[in-house]
Amino acid sequence: QVQLVESGGGLVQPGGSLRLSCAASGSIFSINTMGWYRQAPGKQREFVGNINSGGRTSYAGSVKARFTISRDNANNTAYLHMNSLKPEDTAVYYCNIYSGGLYWGQGTQVTVSS
C-alpha cells in the first residue's frame, strides 16, 4: 500500500505563485512515476504533468510554460511549482503515483482570485 499526502494549496491572486507538495509513503518501488492532476468544479479531472524517478517530465499544454514538476527521490516527495497563475487554474489538485499500482492523494484546493 502507498499513501500520498498533498499540501501547499490556498488562495492566491492572479499572476501569483504556489508550490504544492506530495509526500508518498509505504511500499514504493524505486522506479515509479508521480503525477499531478486537477479537477475544477463541474469538470472532469485533467492531467497536469508527471515526473518519473529519473526526472523526466511531461506537461499538459495549458500549463507547460508556467508549471514545473520536481521531485526529491530520497524523501519520495514530488513538487508542483505553479507560476503566473490564472483564475482558470482554480481546482482541486491531486497527486498520484504509479508504483506497482496507481494510488491517489486526497487533493488540495487551489483558488486563484483577486
Side-chain angles (χ1 to χ4, degrees):
Q1 279 288 350
V2 176
Q3 296 78 42
L4 297 170
V5 178
E6 299 104 332
S7 60
L11 174 65
V12 63
Q13 292 187 342
S17 299
L18 274 179
R19 188 187 77 164
L20 305 184
S21 300
C22 174
S25 61
S27 301
I28 301 168
F29 296 147
S30 59
I31 298 175
N32 60 74
T33 298
M34 298 184 76
W36 288 95
Y37 286 70
R38 66 186 182 185
Q39 188 167 19
K43 295 188 177 181
Q44 291 188 333
R45 192 173 296 189
E46 65 175 2
F47 172 76
V48 174
N50 63 22
I51 184 168
N52 67 17
S53 46
R56 183 172 182 176
T57 54
S58 177
Y59 298 95
S62 59
V63 306
K64 192 171 186 177
R66 301 182 295 122
F67 292 7
T68 302
I69 297 174
S70 62
R71 65 185 290 167
D72 176 354
N73 286 337
N75 293 302
N76 292 314
T77 299
Y79 302 96
L80 178 63
H81 308 262
M82 304 185 291
N83 298 314
S84 303
L85 283 161
K86 305 175 182 180
E88 51 264 44
D89 294 318
T90 295
V92 178
Y93 283 72
Y94 299 89
C95 71
N96 69 12
I97 185 170
Y98 185 81
S99 179
L102 186 61
Y103 301 90
W104 290 87
Q106 82 289 351
T108 185
Q109 176 71 46
V110 172
T111 302
V112 185
S113 175
S114 55

